[in-house]
Amino acid sequence: MQAGKSFGRLGLWLSGLVFACACQPQEKKSIVVHWQLIDGRSCADAGAVRAVISLAGGAEHSGRCSLLPDGNRITLPDAYAQAPLSARAESAEQAVLYRAELTLPESLPELVELVLYYSGGR
């Protein structure tokens, strides 16, 4: 009977440890997302006027399309490791022309490169 009590205590201790680890707040960091269209077109050529990027459960951050490809950058102030990120490029009528999804790496870089794929306005 003594072995059963020890095993039960061990199980209770392990359950508590798992619960404590799951409740740890995730460290957040500001990162910059540099995005581009898969076909190499400029936003003006593709009919896109803005991009919207968000993390799962987080706020959306948007930015106007730049005339220069290097200018297509959006800062995410609350990024965290392994967060699912989604992005879309929209027309003036808010049709989604391009989309992308990405899971952020465990070690967050200062800059993330993101390629948006054509979605045909859906």
Side-chain angles (χ1 to χ4, degrees), residues 101-113:
E101 292 184 354
L102 172 75
T103 300
L104 294 174
E106 181 67 36
S107 178
L108 290 175
E110 300 292 322
L111 177 69
V112 173
E113 296 288 340

Side-chain angles (χ1 to χ4, degrees), residues 84-107:
L85 178 143
S86 62
R88 64 185 187 269
E90 299 177 339
S91 70
E93 295 80 27
Q94 295 183 330
V96 179
L97 303 175
Y98 292 80
R99 292 183 186 273
E101 292 184 354
L102 172 75
T103 300
L104 294 174
E106 181 67 36
S107 178

Side-chain angles (χ1 to χ4, degrees), residues 6-39:
S6 295
F7 184 71
R9 287 183 185 154
L10 178 62
L12 184 60
W13 181 81
L14 287 174
S15 296
L17 182 61
V18 167
F19 180 74
C21 290
C23 293
Q24 294 294 325
Q26 294 184 329
E27 183 179 336
K28 295 185 177 182
K29 176 180 176 180
S30 180
I31 64 169
V32 175
V33 178
H34 174 242
W35 59 272
Q36 60 185 325
L37 305 178
I38 185 66
D39 49 22

